[in-house]
């Protein structure tokens, strides 16, 4: 089955395109240069021409701080773009799998958020993503919305790669220790979406609706950073671990307020599909290995080039 992957240049989109063949699927990856999901005519024309059996939307405006001053752009992509894809899917008679976020919640809870819990985004990014969920729900019955959190991977910009860079540049750094979440590997998100697409290709249906999916076990950004440095040193990616100090959110102000509690309850997803969630410590090791391999390949290529 052909699947149309929107946002193929992002962390999850890249992994979707890279892994689709393993699931017997043909991924048609579209970056924002290939497809403007806010352009209804362009989307409809592409879906009509390519005739995918399913759409996966990994495209989003994810600049959380910039969204506060570029709200029109954030809503255009996160709300209108999601709705446009849902309308095109409905017209084509195919389903849409869509990625959403923990930022739809206020972050004031202290128990893992369930799908039925009240939403109350504190910034434009979360509000625009929540509006996108509603647009999909209004337009298309055959949809699956997957909320996730703290996404990282070997591709693109993310916390893990930032910490590695800073860990090599500095002897010490400070990291926020009063925000809690569940780090989630982009490749794991891609795997579960492709498993669902594969299941739909075989069975013609899924348990449609709204679900939570994230890494297993909660931590703070401080905890996450310390583990990144510990594993990276053990793998020979750092000569030594930097000294990490804990700070509060108040000591690290940002234009957009971050949820202090982003822990998601994934039991509904696990029960509905029989797919378990991964421990983030193990997934982090996989990503660091991939980054180490990529760095080694660059070093070998540079050495070969210098000998020419």
């Amino acid at each position: 089955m052909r699947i149309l992957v929107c946002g193929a240049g992002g962390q999850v989109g890249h992994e979707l395109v890279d892994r689709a063949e393993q699931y017997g699927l043909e991924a048609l990856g579209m970056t924002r240069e290939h497809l403007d999901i806010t352009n209804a005519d362009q989307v409809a024309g592409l879906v009509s021409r390519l005739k995918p059996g399913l759409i996966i939307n990994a495209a989003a405006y994810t600049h959380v701080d910039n969204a506060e001053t570029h709200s029109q752009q954030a809503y255009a992509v996160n709300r209108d773009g999601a709705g446009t894809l849902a309308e095109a899917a409905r017209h084509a008679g195919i389903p849409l799998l869509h990625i959403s976020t923990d930022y739809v919640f206020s972050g004031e809870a202290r128990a893992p958020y369930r799908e039925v819990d009240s939403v109350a985004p504190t910034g434009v990014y979360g509000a625009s993503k929540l509006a996108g969920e509603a647009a999909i729900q209004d337009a298309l019955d055959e949809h699956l919305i997957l909320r996730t959190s703290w996404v990282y991977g070997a591709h693109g910009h993310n916390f893990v790669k930032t910490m590695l860079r800073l860990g090599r540049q500095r002897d010490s750094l400070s990291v926020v220790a009063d925000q809690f979440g569940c780090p989630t590997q982009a490749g794991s998100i891609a795997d579960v979406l492709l498993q669902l697409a594969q299941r739909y290709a075989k069975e013609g249906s899924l348990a449609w609706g709204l679900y939570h999916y994230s890494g297993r076990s909660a931590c703070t950004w401080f905890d996450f950073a310390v583990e990144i440095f510990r594993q990276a040193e053990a793998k020979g990616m750092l000569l030594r671990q930097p000294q990490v100090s804990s700070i509060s959110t108040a000591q690290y102000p940002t234009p957009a307020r971050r949820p202090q509690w982003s822990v998601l309850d994934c039991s509904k997803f696990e029960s509905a599909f029989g797919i378990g969630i991964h421990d983030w410590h193990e997934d982090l090791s996989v990503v660091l290995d991939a980054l180490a391999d990529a760095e080694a390949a660059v070093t070998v290529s540079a050495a070969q080039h210098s000998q020419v």
Side-chain angles (χ1 to χ4, degrees), residues 139-254:
L140 180 68
D141 290 334
E142 291 189 329
H143 69 264
L144 193 146
I145 296 169
L146 200 67
R147 290 178 182 152
T148 190
S149 67
W150 291 22
V151 180
Y152 69 95
H155 177 81
H157 301 288
N158 55 65
F159 185 78
V160 172
K161 294 171 81 171
T162 297
M163 288 300 105
L164 277 178
R165 175 175 56 80
L166 293 177
R168 288 164 172 166
Q169 294 173 347
R170 303 180 186 178
D171 294 326
S172 63
L173 66 158
S174 300
V175 182
V176 171
D178 59 357
Q179 295 174 21
F180 294 81
C182 298
T184 313
Q185 197 225 135
S188 294
I189 300 170
D191 280 334
V192 300
L193 289 171
L194 291 167
Q195 286 180 63
L196 295 175
Q198 182 187 56
R199 194 173 300 184
Y200 172 77
K202 292 178 180 178
E203 301 174 6
S205 187
L206 286 171
W208 307 114
L210 173 66
Y211 296 92
H212 290 171
Y213 177 86
S214 68
R216 186 181 301 282
S217 77
C219 68
T220 66
W221 290 113
F222 172 84
D223 299 328
F224 194 18
V226 168
E227 181 65 10
I228 291 166
F229 295 137
R230 187 193 70 77
Q231 289 197 23
E233 184 189 36
K235 293 175 185 293
M237 299 175 73
L238 285 176
L239 294 177
R240 41 145 187 66
Q241 298 181 48
Q243 181 68 40
V244 187
S245 302
S246 63
I247 58 172
S248 67
T249 298
Q251 292 173 284
Y252 188 74
T254 55

Side-chain angles (χ1 to χ4, degrees), residues 1-7 16 26 28 30 35 37 43-44 46-48 50-59 81-99 136 140 142-145 193-194 197 200 206 208:
M1 186 179 74
R2 281 182 157 193
I3 59 171
L4 176 62
V5 177
C6 303
L16 284 165
E26 179 189 357
L28 307 168
M30 298 292 154
L35 177 65
I37 64 171
V43 170
L46 187 74
V47 171
S48 176
L50 298 181
K51 295 180 170 51
L54 178 145
I55 299 172
I56 301 181
N57 183 31
T84 296
L85 290 172
E87 289 285 357
R90 181 175 59 81
H91 184 75
I94 60 175
L96 171 67
L97 309 185
H98 174 78
I99 301 169
I136 292 168
L140 180 68
E142 291 189 329
H143 69 264
L144 193 146
I145 296 169
L193 289 171
L194 291 167
Y200 172 77
L206 286 171
W208 307 114

